[in-house]
Amino acid sequence: MKNIAYFTMEIAPTLISDDYSKDFRTYSGGLGVLAGDYFKQATDESRPITFISILWKNGYNKQEIKDGNVIDVVNSNDNWRSYVTDTSKTIMVKIEDFDLTLKIWKFNNGELYMLDADLDCNYDYRYLTYNLYGGNEKFENQAEKERICQEIILGIGGLYALQALDKDISFYHFNDGHAIFAVHRLIREYIERGISFNDAINMVKKVVRFTTHTNVASGNEKHDIAALMRYSANCGLDYRMLENIGGEPYGMTVAALHVSGKVNAVAKVHSKAANILWKYITDAPEIFPITNGVHLPTWQYNDIAEAYKNKDINEISRLHFTHKKDLIDFIYYKNGIKLDKNSLLIGFARRATDYKRWDLFAKIPEALDYVIKAFNVQFVFAGKCHKMDYLGRKYIQNIYELSRKYPNNIVFIEGYDINIAKKLEGGSDIWLNTPNGLEASGTSGMKAAANGCINFSTLDGWWKEACFHGINGFEIHIHDEIQDSNERDIRDCQSLMYYLNNEILPMYINNKDAWKNMMYESIYTVDNYFNTKRMISEYFEKLYI
Ligand SMILES: *Cc1c(COP(=O)(O)O)cnc(C)c1O
């Protein structure tokens, strides 16, 4: 039997509860939600995968809008104790010259082990597992140190945890590059057995597998080798060896590409872009696609699943309308705005970052004004940006400005998390996504489709594979032949408005039967292919070999 160890910096391993105050906040966004969906699928099928992550005491920051500005606030993970059991095992890992003790917790439902440094014996290092991706005030001026140490905990600590748990592992699978320092420890073990560095790399390739996520060059983390040596991320390997693995500065993705025998991207177009981005790493394997999926028991409402099984399109439509009304009540509770249940409701929720083009729908103000005044079209937004992403912050602030101009038609919901995601995906009529070609996968569209919410998106990420225009959703053209990005955005917005006015609104208003068929086809698309059941079998057939 092949035993897999899956390392992930963040994970959302729970099912979604109706209690919005409860959430196991050990994730920030898409990467962690995907890891969680994969974990739940593995658990459902009793697959031999051991998941390794960190028990974050604060999770990721929460964002609020105050006086039109986006503010980051601490998001404490107060309920963490109720989700995990003490294995009573600890391990030690070296950070600088300090022997850091890590406690191993087990998540209650499944083979997920979470490392925790929050112990008296660790002094100020105990804060290392407080804030996902750093940002604890204790390390205010040493953000890089905090991040590197967190990655030592996950990667090197994770390897020691597997040993402490007596796991015999056939493949180490890294979900993005955060845990890649583990490989330094694996290489070190080979070298200690008298094997040369080059042979050790080749042996490591037999057991290391990697999933790459971001194709935005700046999103791929780098560190000076001196910093890695200073904090003991090198496990005794010397400067030249680290340079061979990750370059100088040492790139986490570059390192992963150098030491992995097989590498996958998360959608077909994504793998194409990844192969171009990383072409210069000549000894990296070809990056092939395993398109993401979603865990249906998490994301699809039970009543919708039942009606779909009975092929009852009227019932699907009726139930979807009840979820739309729930969403409208929820928005009223959060924002004090009552949307109209009989007008088209367009949902949009994702990280706010440049390539996702949050304000594409508003690029032509007169066109936006027209659909709002003529058809009462309603747009609901949710999402966060990275703390340091000033452009992302600007996007959210722009939406907030628009919501003040059109208070009954444009809404921004604060505090995006998996609960809000499900409400929005389950209750919107249309799911809008407008990336410019750099999307990884875009799983929120799958969650929407699984509930009969119809996708309307540029042909990027999963939608490039899934879209049959006019059958299971609608496309928006990307005019990537146009060099000037502002002009391109305006053309893409024209395409958006064209389909909205000429296909979506006429069908929504006048052709309910066609709309219901499209809802059914949306659910079929996810039920048939874009789910974690198909995804996990592909991982076993194509990556773990
Ligand atoms: C599904 C999900 C994501 C990822 O969705 P994208 O379409 O890739 O942006 C991010 N955050 C949350 C809370 C999610 O549920």
Side-chain angles (χ1 to χ4, degrees), residues 469-489:
H469 180 82
I471 295 178
N472 64 354
F474 300 94
E475 70 169 276
I476 299 165
H477 296 299
I478 305 181
H479 298 82
D480 49 10
E481 71 285 358
I482 299 175
Q483 292 299 315
D484 180 69
S485 69
N486 192 47
E487 195 187 325
R488 189 171 57 216
D489 287 354

Side-chain angles (χ1 to χ4, degrees), residues 14 89 248 256 303 315 320 366 405 457:
T14 60
K89 290 187 165 56
E248 173 73 290
D303 52 6
E315 183 66 358
H320 181 269
E366 316 81 70
K405 183 166 177 205
S457 168

Side-chain angles (χ1 to χ4, degrees), residues 439-453:
E439 182 72 295
S441 176
T443 50
S444 61
M446 303 175 194
K447 302 168 195 167
N451 289 298
C453 167

Side-chain angles (χ1 to χ4, degrees), residues 314-443:
N314 291 316
E315 183 66 358
I316 291 171
S317 168
R318 190 187 70 79
L319 291 167
H320 181 269
F321 194 58
T322 65
H323 294 302
K324 182 178 181 181
K325 286 187 284 191
D326 281 350
L327 171 62
I328 287 173
D329 289 345
F330 179 67
I331 293 167
Y332 183 67
Y333 159 77
K334 290 278 281 192
N335 289 31
I337 301 243
K338 193 89 192 172
L339 297 183
D340 173 15
K341 62 183 188 302
N342 295 313
S343 300
L344 189 74
L345 196 160
I346 300 182
F348 183 106
R350 52 192 47 86
R351 197 157 47 83
T353 191
D354 197 19
Y355 74 86
K356 302 209 181 213
R357 302 193 295 183
W358 271 50
D359 56 0
L360 190 82
F361 79 111
K363 272 282 162 190
I364 307 171
E366 316 81 70
L368 178 64
D369 199 75
Y370 174 75
V371 294
I372 288 177
K373 297 207 169 120
F375 299 104
N376 195 33
V377 174
Q378 307 166 100
F379 296 88
V380 180
F381 288 82
K384 299 186 208 180
C385 60
H386 188 276
K387 275 173 278 200
M388 306 306 247
D389 186 344
Y390 293 98
L391 210 56
R393 195 168 290 258
K394 193 94 186 50
Y395 274 126
I396 295 178
Q397 286 166 196
N398 282 349
I399 297 298
Y400 180 75
E401 286 301 314
L402 282 166
S403 76
R404 309 232 302 188
K405 183 166 177 205
Y406 299 107
N408 293 308
N409 294 81
I410 299 180
V411 174
F412 178 80
I413 308 179
E414 291 175 329
Y416 184 44
D417 63 10
I418 54 177
N419 297 313
I420 291 178
K422 185 165 178 177
K423 276 255 174 238
L424 210 48
E425 287 143 6
S428 300
D429 298 308
I430 286 282
W431 195 251
L432 179 66
N433 194 13
T434 50
N436 65 4
L438 288 170
E439 182 72 295
S441 176
T443 50

Side-chain angles (χ1 to χ4, degrees), residues 1 7 16 58 89 93 114 125 148 155 158 165 190 204 207 224-226 234 284 329 337 376 390 478 489-490 515:
M1 178 134 87
F7 291 70
I16 290 170
N58 281 342
K89 290 187 165 56
V93 68
M114 309 182 95
Y125 290 104
I148 291 172
L165 297 162
Y190 286 125
V204 159
V207 295
D224 288 342
I225 292 178
N234 56 324
D329 289 345
I337 301 243
N376 195 33
Y390 293 98
I478 305 181
D489 287 354
I490 287 175
W515 192 271

